[in-house]
Amino acid sequence: MNAAAGVPEIVIERVTKQYGNAHAVLESIDLVVAKQEFISIIGPSGCGKSTILKLIAGLAVPTSGTIQVDGMTPQNARETISFVFQDATLLPWRTVKQNIGLGLELERVPSDRREKEIAALLDLVGLTKVAKSYPRELSGGMRMRVSIARALATNPRLMLLDEPFAALDEMSRDRLNEEILRLRSEQNWTAVFVTHSVSEAVFLSDRIVVLAPNPGRVHAEFRVELPVPRTSAIRNSPDFDAIVARVSHTLRETLQQ
Amino acid sequence: MKQRAITVLNALAVFAALVVVWQLILWIFHVPPFMLPSPWAVVRAVGARFPSLLNALSITAEESAGGLVASVVVGVLVALLFAQSRWVRKMLYPYTLLLQTVPIIAIAPLILMWVGAGIPAVTLIAFIISVAPIIANTTQGLISVDENLVHLFLMHNASRAQVLFKLRLPHAVPALFVGIRIASGIAVIGAITGELFAGSSHVGEGGLGYSILYASSQLQTDYEFALVLAATVLGFGFLFLVMFLEWYFLHRWHESARAPEAE
């Protein structure tokens, strides 16, 4: 756990989300995320995991209930939030460098400062060599790195990640998991991470929230008491396996209702 | 490269075979030259009347190019308008279909009356007939942007103009080129058809369509063939130019433009 723990970054109170007259996607969600906390949201398909992220980002509006980010409405807090999508979601007509600079450009940061930030980020995620390549020339893992660098470019206090590594092979996924933790320890952002993978959630998180489907609701919460900083070696420890087993068991419960 | 050489050789072989068949028909059926001139007579006609042929070609090229450029400019502007709302699209889109389906021959007399015969009238006809595919393709490109990309822009509080010019418009460029490719052929056909009705402001001088009509009335069938040949060359020239531009602008990032020989 981090030093700033306890001060809330996100407060979700009794949030229900319904599209039209269909059954609720999310029902009566209460969730508080502390500043600099890393939480993962995990659950079966159709439990509204991605919808929670969209609500926090202000890309969707709750049917009832309230959401506050850093004491503001999500729309007003957008400047401090970055979103990493399931696919890398890059602009194919822009080079790696131009993609990373997109957010800064949209926020009208002057180009000399932009260049400096981009150079630092390229270095940070190890993409300096491919700065002038186009997305279609990169592997899936590298594209995801570009996407993460772009998200970090605007200096977010809150990162929302929607199954960012779901399409990658296991090795790339593990490496990027380690990289995410390294980046966070350097920059101290808060993270809400949506995933299907229990071991990924355990490796990354301070806390895991398990959702149950139909309608989406909080089923259980786990605190992950593994030592920090976490290295790849921790994946082989009995403690790690024990937590993965407990979370997996709970996840199966949500399907048996 | 070798693949391409074979393609070219094949095309040339087919062409040679056609010329041979053509000549055989003349010998076997004793067709009079005013009905079907020999290949050699056509070549001679090209040589003998090269300056007037070139003049006709350049007039038609100017009209088609003018019509096509106007189509691209107007088509993209209309598409930008259509991309603003579903409501605007629903209300106005049927009228672009009207542009595509109106028989140009039926409105040619009107255009002749409004603009007068000559290059401007024909350019207008080439424009009217070629603008619809550009509107349709560009609109489709503008509105078919991945929702997550729009969300990404929203997360950075992007303005409407930023979404339009930094996201939708570049995303629509490949579709725009598909539209231009279709329009380039139609513009040439439109110009030549237009010339049949509104091609010349003084007798004896005009573009390919006008000259074809004129040569036909004088039974100069060999020259008529030469003019048709020139029209084909013009159509191909346009298509190749557009394909080159497409490759030039897109090959670095877009899949469709990676292998021009696949066309």
Side-chain angles (χ1 to χ4, degrees):
Chain A
M1 283 266 77
N2 291 284
V7 186
E9 172 75 37
I10 307 172
V11 181
I12 300 177
E13 277 178 315
R14 304 194 59 79
V15 161
T16 296
K17 178 68 186 174
Q18 207 168 355
Y19 288 101
N21 286 323
H23 67 272
V25 182
L26 293 171
E27 193 168 84
S28 203
I29 301 282
D30 285 298
L31 187 63
V32 176
V33 181
K35 276 198 196 306
Q36 297 181 19
E37 192 179 16
F38 197 121
I39 79 155
S40 285
I41 298 178
I42 195 165
S45 307
C47 68
K49 304 187 288 284
S50 298
T51 306
I52 293 190
L53 286 194
K54 289 211 175 100
L55 290 169
I56 298 171
L59 294 171
V61 184
T63 310
S64 66
T66 59
I67 299 177
Q68 286 199 321
V69 178
D70 210 6
M72 294 177 272
T73 65
Q75 277 90 350
N76 289 337
R78 262 187 195 156
E79 267 172 45
T80 68
I81 307 175
S82 277
F83 206 115
V84 178
F85 296 91
Q86 199 162 355
D87 305 307
T89 320
L90 304 175
L91 302 180
W93 55 88
R94 285 176 171 239
T95 61
V96 166
K97 233 175 105 169
Q98 292 167 331
N99 264 294
I100 294 176
L102 177 72
L104 298 167
E105 195 181 312
L106 292 175
E107 289 172 17
R108 299 178 202 284
V109 173
S111 71
D112 51 333
R113 227 186 80 207
R114 213 158 67 207
E115 289 292 320
K116 244 186 257 168
E117 300 257 356
I118 295 170
L121 281 160
L122 283 168
D123 191 43
L124 194 66
V125 295
L127 288 171
T128 308
K129 274 189 192 147
V130 294
K132 290 192 173 128
S133 301
Y134 286 82
R136 72 168 170 79
E137 299 165 327
L138 307 179
S139 68
M142 279 162 115
R143 271 184 231 162
M144 214 57 233
R145 272 166 213 260
V146 178
S147 183
I148 290 166
R150 178 182 63 192
L152 295 176
T154 45
N155 259 321
R157 286 205 296 276
L158 172 59
M159 286 277 274
L160 304 174
L161 304 106
D162 188 5
E163 298 189 49
F165 310 133
L168 302 183
D169 60 272
E170 207 174 322
M171 247 174 56
S172 314
R173 175 188 275 227
D174 286 352
R175 282 200 25 214
L176 281 168
N177 282 169
E178 286 148 33
E179 221 159 298
I180 282 281
L181 283 189
R182 173 176 68 85
L183 292 168
R184 185 180 70 120
S185 69
E186 287 171 22
Q187 302 176 335
N188 287 319
W189 22 268
T190 310
V192 181
F193 190 97
V194 166
T195 179
H196 268 117
S197 157
V198 175
S199 63
E200 182 174 64
V202 172
F203 182 73
L204 290 173
S205 314
D206 299 316
R207 187 155 59 106
I208 297 173
V209 177
V210 180
L211 295 189
N214 302 320
R217 61 202 184 279
V218 177
H219 178 75
E221 278 189 36
F222 294 88
R223 208 156 265 297
V224 182
E225 310 279 7
L226 293 170
V228 279
R230 292 175 194 166
T231 58
S232 58
I234 214 164
R235 292 201 186 91
N236 303 319
S237 72
D239 286 350
F240 184 86
D241 289 340
I243 300 172
V244 169
R246 267 167 52 212
V247 177
S248 299
H249 179 77
T250 309
L251 197 57
R252 272 196 298 278
E253 279 175 12
T254 66
L255 289 170
Q256 282 160 3
Q257 294 165 349
Chain B
M1 204 58 222
K2 197 181 164 197
Q3 204 76 31
R4 207 178 294 185
I6 291 171
T7 312
V8 170
L9 281 177
N10 278 340
L12 286 177
V14 171
F15 181 74
L18 280 175
V19 170
V20 168
V21 171
W22 178 358
Q23 188 64 56
L24 282 175
I25 289 172
L26 289 175
W27 280 335
I28 296 167
F29 298 104
H30 302 287
V31 186
F34 68 86
M35 283 185 74
L36 183 62
S38 69
W40 179 238
V42 174
V43 172
R44 264 183 318 185
V46 171
R49 305 186 61 174
F50 195 67
S52 54
L53 186 66
L54 211 59
N55 188 41
L57 183 68
S58 74
I59 290 174
T60 307
E62 186 188 331
E63 293 157 347
S64 326
L68 184 60
V69 169
S71 279
V72 173
V73 173
V74 174
V76 169
L77 288 175
V78 171
L80 286 173
L81 176 72
F82 280 11
Q84 297 310 304
S85 84
R86 184 187 298 268
W87 185 72
V88 173
R89 274 200 297 288
K90 276 208 168 133
M91 204 169 64
L92 296 178
Y93 192 71
Y95 293 95
T96 65
L97 289 179
L98 200 72
L99 278 177
Q100 206 164 14
T101 50
V102 64
I104 205 71
I105 292 168
I107 59 163
L110 284 176
I111 290 171
L112 204 60
M113 185 170 76
W114 292 332
V115 188
I119 292 177
V122 177
T123 306
L124 184 60
I125 291 172
F127 158 73
I128 291 173
I129 202 172
S130 66
V131 73
I134 297 200
I135 296 175
N137 281 284
T138 311
T139 304
Q140 195 52 41
L142 288 170
I143 61 178
S144 65
V145 172
D146 177 11
E147 195 194 16
N148 280 342
L149 282 171
V150 178
H151 282 162
L152 174 74
F153 273 63
L154 289 181
M155 289 306 294
H156 293 291
N157 294 315
S159 67
R160 234 181 135 78
Q162 282 177 324
V163 174
L164 193 58
F165 292 108
K166 287 185 193 275
L167 177 59
R168 292 190 187 278
L169 200 56
H171 178 264
V173 171
L176 168 63
F177 268 109
V178 174
I180 298 178
R181 222 190 302 162
I182 299 166
S184 70
I186 302 179
V188 174
I189 294 169
I192 291 172
T193 317
E195 282 167 355
L196 298 179
F197 299 91
S200 179
S201 45
H202 41 275
V203 179
E205 215 186 282
L208 293 171
Y210 174 80
S211 303
I212 286 170
L213 211 59
Y214 194 75
S216 174
S217 71
Q218 310 272 313
L219 289 186
Q220 298 166 347
T221 317
D222 50 354
Y223 184 48
E224 196 182 335
F225 266 73
L227 289 161
V228 171
L229 202 66
T232 314
V233 168
L234 182 62
F236 266 105
F238 264 57
L239 188 62
F240 282 129
L241 182 66
V242 172
M243 278 167 67
F244 171 75
L245 289 175
E246 187 175 357
W247 172 84
Y248 181 80
F249 284 111
L250 300 182
H251 74 285
R252 299 220 51 187
W253 65 271
H254 197 258
E255 301 293 335
S256 80
R258 281 172 83 184
E261 59 263 52
E263 286 287 326

